[in-house]
Amino acid sequence: MKNKNNRLFTLDKFIEESLYNKKHGYYMKKNPFGEGGDFITAPSISILFSEMIAIWIISFWEKLDCPKQFNLIELGAGNGEMMRVLVNTFNKFPQFKNSCKINILEKSELLKQTQKINIKDAKIKWLNNLNELNNFPCIFIANEFFDALPIKQFLKKEKKWYERHVNFSNDKKLNYLDIPFDMQKFEKKIKFKISYKQTFIEYSPLTIKYLKIIINKIKLNNGGILIIDYAYLEKEMKNTLQAVSKHKYCNVLKSFRNSDITYNLSFNLINNIIKKFGSYTSLSTTQEKFLTKIGILDRAEILSKNMPFSEKADIYFRIKRLIDESQMGHLFKVMFITNHKNKFKLGF
Ligand SMILES: C[S@@+](CC[C@H](N)C(=O)[O-])C[C@H]1O[C@@H](n2cnc3c(N)ncnc32)[C@H](O)[C@@H]1O
């Protein structure tokens, strides 16, 4: 970073340095989850969120004809809260549990240790990369994983394309610098006309890399991926880069290595990309519709039947955060990608 010849970073390199620098990166040096941290994710808002995901996974496994051995893979497990609840729920379904090989892909060593403490299941395997998976059917789960991967930004000004960089020339004050970019050459390289009808592009090379491996696993061994994330469905891409610290938005450049940097996924872009890999079923909906269709409100009613009013109110208050359209209900979207032959639609 201090190297004088190396003070200009493409945006994805800047985000990689900010979030995942081995020593100083945001996710590598602290556990940012929870009320006392910087942000809170759905599994820590309500246990019912992860229970709904557990029901969805078990139902999908049944639809796949209950394979005797299959891989469940959580991508980016954070503090391990979702997997903790999944394991507890799976323990009530012994035939399912015995068939399920649980895997976690986690980049942060610190969070890996947190996950190992929170999820007390000796059989979980922490993967170094997805190619370590054996050839069983694979069910991938990604809650707020892809929005944490570095992105590039490209912008069109007067018919010319530029790539956004971050300039470190003045250490105290970072600023953006847009540098002319050969979009045609880039599109030839990625074999995809990403700029079609766009004036602004957000593109994550790592997302493409992961989706390629995941789609290939699904093609070879059957299965699917469930993505839950900040996302939008419109075709036109927009600038959605944001940083969060202590539950408030902050300036991406002012809090280098000390804030969470995220963006909203373009589900349209993901769909266009997976089309390049072959012909797959892709379903999408809002988090509100997904959780409601699986039965989060029915489950809350059963659970709270004999509870005192204050506990009952707490359960519904938490569910409201997850499904209300002015809170997470519409901001978060859910996408399911699977082989054509699987006619599974629970939640969509
Ligand atoms: C925003 S957090 C979401 C955590 C969790 N899924 C949740 O919902 O609370 C993103 C997670 O992905 C992990 N992560 C980011 N990039 C990764 C990568 N390339 N490979 C594996 N894990 C990664 C982070 O360390 C973190 O655990």
Side-chain angles (χ1 to χ4, degrees), residues 20 27 33 41 43 74 76-78 105-108 111 143-145 148-149 206 210:
Y20 304 113
Y27 276 105
F33 301 92
T41 59
E74 184 178 358
L105 182 75
E106 175 53 60
K107 191 175 175 108
S108 159
L111 291 176
N143 186 58
E144 287 203 47
F145 169 70
L149 301 184
L206 206 50
Y210 280 130

Side-chain angles (χ1 to χ4, degrees), residues 57 70-74 83 90 100-103 139 141:
I57 294 167
F70 79 99
N71 291 310
L72 174 69
I73 309 101
E74 184 178 358
M83 189 53 85
F90 295 160
C100 181
K101 310 274 168 236
I102 301 180
N103 303 270
I139 302 179
I141 305 290

Side-chain angles (χ1 to χ4, degrees), residues 38-99:
D38 288 324
F39 59 89
I40 188 158
T41 59
S44 300
I45 292 175
S46 169
I47 201 171
L48 294 184
F49 175 84
S50 308
E51 285 186 359
M52 292 304 111
I53 304 293
I55 290 165
W56 185 91
I57 294 167
I58 296 169
S59 309
F60 184 32
W61 170 76
E62 283 174 351
K63 190 74 182 176
L64 295 172
D65 290 333
C66 307
K68 290 211 164 45
Q69 287 185 306
F70 79 99
N71 291 310
L72 174 69
I73 309 101
E74 184 178 358
L75 305 173
N79 59 5
E81 177 58 16
M82 180 156 86
M83 189 53 85
R84 186 187 72 79
V85 178
L86 293 185
V87 169
N88 285 348
T89 313
F90 295 160
N91 285 339
K92 294 170 195 148
F93 300 85
Q95 194 203 340
F96 171 89
K97 182 74 198 296
N98 290 336
S99 313

